[in-house]
Amino acid sequence: MRGREGYAVARDGAPIYYRVTGPRGVGSAVILSDGIGCDGYIWKYVENALVGSVRLLHWHYRGHGRTPVPPDPRRVSIPDCADDLVSVMDAAEVERGVLFGHSMGVQVSLETFRRHRDRVIGLGLLCGSFGNPLRTLKGTSTGEAVLPLLALAARHVPSTLDVLWRRLLPTKLAFTLASRIEINANLVRIEDFMPYLDHMARVDLRLFIEMLGHAGRHSAREILSAIDVPTLIVAGERDGFTPCSLSEEMHHAIPGSRFLVVEQGSHTAPIERPRLVTDAIVEFLAPLLGETPRIDAPSAP
């Protein structure tokens, strides 16, 4: 189904790209927010399952995909992203939405709920944390210690890092390394993961580091018990980036939330076991959107 795309105008005048598909004249939509460095690869099977039956809104963060680097490169905090999301909703004529977030998109979705409660009718939190993800990366706080060193290198030897960033990321070598560090290569298809590496290589490294720093300092822990909309939480059993224990903690803190653990799933569980994840999403969405969305069988396991 053909969609409509355009650019919302953020509060500071920055253009924010979005694409909306599905029935027009509908006041609600399913809104997809990515992880840092991503432009939609993780939603491939979710979109395939839902397109044509629900209104879908996907957008790109500042400096990601078709959204240009902002005039002020410091305006990439989680609250900035949450406000950008609402600007996108306004531009796409979406009054209220079920917010789905993956990885950092979980923080963006939670912050949007905090700042714009009246625009949210449900939450889908996939493979993410409620906050401070650098403190729990691979079960340690190493991420917090390494980030300042990476930022220092980006300031003093930017050309060297840029070359490594752009040349090494979009390669099969990077995929092999990722499969040893995080993703489950027995489940994920290389053609499903390579778009992530291709896009990451095009993201400005300094913007990425700035956004990662903001995400590392952000937390929405204090609002979890106040969430009063239907919430689905999906976790990868062996997720090392945002460990399953964080999702379980969110589940216990958010009243009435649903919790799905993807067996042997990693941080990319939605493309590792797409049928399991999409089935859970369709079942979750049915009462929120007033009908059971049609689901097409993903071509992956």
Side-chain angles (χ1 to χ4, degrees), residues 43-50 232 260 270 273-285 295-298:
W43 304 114
K44 174 181 176 179
Y45 295 104
V46 173
E47 288 191 280
N48 287 347
L50 298 177
L232 171 67
L260 170 66
R273 295 195 183 275
R275 167 59 79 179
L276 178 66
V277 175
T278 53
D279 278 353
I281 288 174
V282 167
E283 182 183 358
F284 171 71
L285 286 175
I295 180 167
D296 295 327

Side-chain angles (χ1 to χ4, degrees), residues 135-258:
R135 297 179 187 174
T136 54
L137 179 67
K138 291 296 180 181
T140 74
S141 60
T142 303
E144 278 193 316
V146 170
L147 184 64
L149 300 177
L150 186 60
L152 185 66
R155 287 197 300 271
H156 291 284
V157 287
S159 59
T160 301
L161 280 185
D162 278 342
V163 169
L164 292 174
W165 183 261
R166 298 184 187 283
R167 289 187 180 178
L168 294 181
L169 270 178
T171 64
K172 290 186 178 180
L173 175 63
F175 174 82
T176 300
L177 181 62
S179 67
R180 293 182 178 179
I181 294 174
E182 174 58 27
I183 66 174
N184 189 336
N186 293 321
L187 296 177
V188 72
R189 294 178 171 185
I190 187 170
E191 62 266 29
D192 287 344
F193 189 74
M194 284 305 298
Y196 164 66
L197 297 176
D198 291 338
H199 176 259
M200 272 282 287
R202 297 193 299 272
V203 174
D204 182 86
L205 180 57
R206 285 153 294 278
L207 181 140
F208 177 85
I209 293 171
E210 182 75 20
M211 184 175 277
L212 187 60
H214 281 295
R217 294 186 293 272
H218 171 269
S219 178
R221 181 195 295 270
E222 65 276 11
I223 72 164
L224 297 180
S225 62
I227 292 176
D228 57 356
V229 296
T231 301
L232 171 67
I233 301 169
V234 177
E237 181 184 37
R238 46 167 283 185
D239 188 339
F241 286 174
T242 51
C244 182
S245 59
L246 296 174
S247 293
E248 186 174 8
E249 186 175 346
M250 280 197 291
H251 169 54
H252 290 308
I254 299 175
S257 61
R258 302 186 187 187

Side-chain angles (χ1 to χ4, degrees), residues 4 8 24-25 28-29 61 63 70-71 81 84 93 96 104 121 127 129 139 160 179 183 219 226 267-268 287 297:
R4 176 171 65 90
R24 300 203 62 168
S28 60
Y61 299 133
C81 293
D84 287 347
E93 300 178 334
R96 303 168 74 202
M104 191 189 77
I121 60 175
C127 303
S129 170
T160 301
S179 67
I183 66 174
S219 178
H267 197 59
T268 57

